[in-house]
Amino acid sequence: MDSPLPAEAAFDVAAIKQSLTDHLLYSVGKDPLFATSRDWYLAAAFSLRDRLISAWVRTMRSYYDNDVKRVYYLSMEFLVGRALTNSMINLGLYDAFREATESLGYDFDELQSWEVEPALGNGGLGRLAACLIDSMATLGLPGFGYGIRYEFGMFTQHVERGWQVESPENWLRYGNPWEFQRPGVIYPVRFGGRVVRYRDGEGRWNSQWVDSEEVMAMAYDVPVPGFGGKTVNNLRLWAAKSTREFNLKYFNQGNYIESVRDKNESENLSKVLYPSDSTARGKELRFRQEYFFVCASLQDIIARFRKTHSNFDLLPDHVAIQMNDTHPAMAVAELMRVLLDDHHYDWERAWTITVKTCGYTNHTLLPEALETWPVDLFERLLPRHLDIIYEINQRFLNDVRHRWPGEMDLLRRMSLVDEDGTRRIRMAHLAVVGSHSVNGVAEIHTDLMKSTIFADFDRFQPGKISCKTNGITPRRWLLSANRPLAALITEEIGDGWVTRLEELQALAPLAEDAEFRERFAQAKRTNKQRLAQVIEQRLGVPVDTDSLFDVMVKRMHEYKRQLLNVLHVVTRYNRIRANPTAFAVPRTVIVGGKAAPGYFMAKLILKLINDVADVVNNDPLTSSRLKVVFVPNYNVSTAELIIPGANLSQQISTAGTEASGTGNMKLALNGALTIGTWDGANVEICEEVGEENMFLFGLTAQEVARVHRDGWDSAAAIAANPELAQVLDMIGSGYFSPDQPDRFRPIVDSLTLGGDHYLLSADYPAYIATQERVDQLYVDADAWTRKAILNVARMGKFSSDRTVAEYGEEIWNVGS
Ligand code: 26W
């Protein structure tokens, strides 16, 4: 290709100023006299975008010229957060833009706050996808994200009278300056119909999928700049469009209104993100969404491959497809279908290509979150894929039978089809069988995968399952979110840590330097003040910035045990009231997180937090020493505000339930100490920072498994602990809900009568004792800060750059 590359837009302040005023006029269409700060935000976004584009085009062209192997990260969710600040930082334009906007008389921080964050994800899984694509771009890896452009992402959470109320977030209302619509990149996606078998010219049997209905997938591209600005990768999101046939049909039939309604219905496909991160049982639209984005992405991937190659046997040398959980697992069957039906490969060759190309990452062991789809849904919507899955299963079970003859129960367990009750396809089994690599997201999680849900598969194909411990991008989670600490670190050890996070270890000796400790503590104070201001503004609750900021931010889930946190709060409240003149370390307990709209218990626990807050914050005996605040609408932007201000990070899931957690990494990297269980990445954080610098407590995963096997008498455990019994009695009898005394009965019942599945009553004593140790340490400010510094210094492992490098070497076979 010899067409010229675009000229670089200038990076100096004067040019940026010019660009801002030009874009305000020519792109936003506003007279500066009447421009609002949102208009200026848009002008800034366009000006920055100009400065991304040439690197973007260069990156894509160099991939093409060098015919590099590409990595495709398929994910139903990308929780990327705001782009403006991040792009400025990654392009090295932050200071220049600040100067340019401020010299035009605009408050830079206010301007940034106008960006609506694209909330195209639920929680950990979606945010991980965002961190990984940031790191791929930073490492210069040819990584492309593929996902869905939901018109409505994650709902906005309001709290009304203590209850969660959801409202849809129309994030595209004011336009999205970060996306490029590609009306020419559009693929048909088929549903329904039937399969016909026919003999081809050489007498071989073939299958074709016919009489299906169609919806179109149209591409939207979002640039993903790496740090340093050299590589700008691409995130391609699909939106559903009705087909042209639809439009013709309605013109011809004269039934205009009806048909336009049909058109709307087909476009509903990409309308909304399912706001649950644990179940999507039987939701047909969700099933359609999964196939929709898999099918479009594969067509795109194959079209790109075929520009330079014709032999599909080479596909695995040029393409790696990584499936983010089982949501894109249909990719296995779809790639098989394309190779078999469209390109007439025989089964063995098609299968070899498919398995070599695909990789699968598991993110959860919770049984209710393991996807299965009813066979009849497949029959109705994807009949050909069902055929293919049956054949995959038959061949796979034959291999198993051959290896271990006569083990009927083993076959039943490993089958891709769950035959108990209504028959269902086990998507995780499809993903495992159809991939050359299966990975967990932390060591303990990977071990549990091997010993529980995938034990049979691990025995059948040892070595296929590996661990790629999660990581977070230091650019967003330290450099951008915590400028005071980032500046201090850079002043001491230079800025190499931004791309080589291990360099933070050079901070360790400074833990013994009193002056450094004071400056470190000062950075924390600055962040706490900023957070306190926001809490006061948004909630009207004044908080003491000298108090210990105790933070638990994550999705509301029983297994994560926000309820255990509440039990501690109420215990603390009771202790202060019982002994009002005794000294108590002042605490501000900060909680944030969304509950799935249909998750009754999670919503009730959220309400309990707010009802407890009401009582505690207004009790003159306690309010100076204990505050509880629930920060509504926890999302990436509020995370960026809360995390830098935390002293204590709560990571208290029942051991064996949290696959990894990544909030734990963000908080520790920002100098919070962790109180946590032996779960997920907490275990590895402990290996790095040292047990003496954390507060780990409670049953281990092994102990939890044993307790579950032998049975747990929660009633006895509660009876044996008068403080816990008192707390539960207060919650259950209406102390915090005088307007409806039995409101929280279901919560108490789940612990007393319901068996206490997540073992709160088992971990309560250790948790409370550990919280006492937290208080003791906080009183010794110097000792606390020493440990906080060591936490930061030893977090190098948890950069998503390391995570991506491991995927690159061990799964994708691409190097940087
Ligand atoms: C079918 C509905 C559904 C949607 C999302 C089921 C399950 C999910 C995700 C797998 C849930 C999720 O976000 N898992 C989290 O993934 C993070 C990134 O690896 C981990 O850090 C968290 O521990 C894990 O809960």
Side-chain angles (χ1 to χ4, degrees), residues 73 76-77 122-129 274 276-281 286 290 324-327 361-366 368-371 373 440-442 445 470 555 557 559-560 657-665 680-681 807:
Y73 198 78
M76 285 282 275
E77 307 187 10
N122 270 287
L125 164 129
R127 183 55 230 176
L128 181 74
Y274 275 91
S276 164
D277 62 352
S278 46
T279 47
R281 289 233 142 210
R286 166 81 181 196
E290 292 183 354
N324 198 20
D325 215 273
T326 56
H327 318 150
T361 306
N362 172 280
H363 296 268
T364 180
L365 304 168
L366 294 186
E368 67 270 26
L370 293 177
E371 283 190 302
W373 292 109
V441 290
H445 166 234
N470 283 166
R555 284 300 289 264
H557 246 293
Y559 85 80
K560 294 178 189 278
T657 61
E658 188 70 271
S660 160
T662 46
N664 47 4
M665 302 169 187
Y807 276 93

Side-chain angles (χ1 to χ4, degrees), residues 235-246:
L235 169 60
R236 182 160 275 187
L237 302 176
W238 301 106
K241 294 277 163 202
S242 65
T243 55
R244 204 152 15 141
E245 286 68 48
F246 247 124

Side-chain angles (χ1 to χ4, degrees), residues 548 550 568 572 575 583-587 648 695 768-780 784:
L548 188 166
D550 165 335
H568 165 248
R572 201 175 180 88
R575 287 185 180 182
F583 172 76
V585 180
R587 272 224 199 188
L648 186 68
F695 299 96
I768 299 296
T770 308
Q771 286 286 16
E772 287 166 17
R773 293 203 290 125
V774 170
D775 286 332
Q776 284 158 17
L777 185 70
Y778 194 71
V779 178
D780 185 349
W784 182 283

